[in-house]
């Protein structure tokens, strides 16, 4: 129902998102080291941990003219996704989140091999992202 009540969710994309000023004062802004990939997940989890809830409206109020990517994502995006997600998980010290990260990363690597779209580069960049995540490398490093 487009006129129904807001729906509780775990994570939202920041495109067209309104954030309460009180939340920003309490938990800060998205972390700059996650400039690409995982910044939304990290921020929503920090908000939840601070007692905030995340909702979406059942109807669209903003029209985005450039949503998402077309075709397959470039291999370098997998580097940032892997690195930032691992760094966030290690910072949160959550064993279940670490297990989920590992499972997800392995599935992405298997998918890269099966797709045949530059599998060596995709897997290499994900492994490099994992190594950099373990070492605490952050910010823009590959593109």
């Amino acid at each position: 129902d487009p006129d129904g009540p807001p729906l509780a969710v775990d994570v939202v994309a920041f495109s067209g998102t309104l954030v309460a000023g009180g939340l920003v004062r309490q938990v800060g802004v998205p972390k700059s080291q996650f400039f690409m990939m995982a910044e939304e997940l990290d921020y929503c989890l920090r908000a939840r941990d601070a007692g905030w809830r995340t909702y979406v409206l059942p109807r669209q109020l903003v029209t985005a003219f450039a949503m998402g990517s077309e075709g397959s994502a470039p291999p370098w995006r997998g580097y940032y996704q892997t690195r930032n997600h691992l760094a966030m998980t290690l910072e949160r010290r959550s064993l279940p989140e670490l297990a989920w990260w590992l499972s997800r990363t392995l599935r992405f690597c298997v998918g890269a091999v099966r797709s045949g779209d530059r599998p060596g580069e995709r897997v290499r960049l994900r492994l490099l992202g994992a190594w950099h995540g373990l070492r605490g490398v952050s910010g823009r490093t590959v593109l």
Side-chain angles (χ1 to χ4, degrees):
D1 176 13
D3 294 320
L7 307 166
V9 297
D10 294 318
V11 179
V12 294
F14 286 165
S15 180
T17 300
L18 296 176
V19 178
L23 171 61
V24 175
R25 285 187 289 282
Q26 186 175 354
V27 303
V29 297
K31 294 180 179 178
S32 62
Q33 70 261 33
F34 300 146
F35 79 99
M36 177 177 297
M37 306 302 283
E39 70 279 4
E40 296 152 327
L41 175 60
D42 174 70
Y43 197 76
C44 290
L45 291 175
R46 287 191 293 134
R48 184 195 66 194
D49 292 347
W52 291 80
R53 292 192 176 186
T54 302
Y55 294 91
V56 296
L57 295 175
R59 64 192 169 286
Q60 182 175 320
L61 300 179
V62 176
T63 300
F65 293 105
M67 285 294 291
S69 305
E70 292 184 24
S72 66
W76 58 262
R77 287 184 65 91
Y79 164 85
Y80 288 109
Q81 183 181 56
T82 300
R83 185 197 73 185
N84 292 352
H85 191 184
L86 178 57
M88 178 198 72
T89 299
L90 293 174
E91 184 177 294
R92 293 175 57 76
R93 300 175 190 257
S94 169
L95 212 48
E97 287 179 30
L98 182 60
W100 182 62
W101 170 86
L102 181 59
S103 171
R104 186 172 186 248
T105 299
L106 290 173
R107 284 180 296 185
F108 274 122
C109 288
V110 169
V113 171
R114 286 184 175 169
S115 77
D117 179 17
R118 299 182 278 179
E121 183 180 8
R122 290 181 185 283
V123 171
R124 180 185 66 77
L125 284 171
R126 285 203 181 265
L127 292 175
L128 180 63
W131 176 245
H132 284 178
L134 287 171
R135 293 185 47 229
V137 174
S138 65
R140 184 175 177 169
T141 53
V142 300
L143 259 179

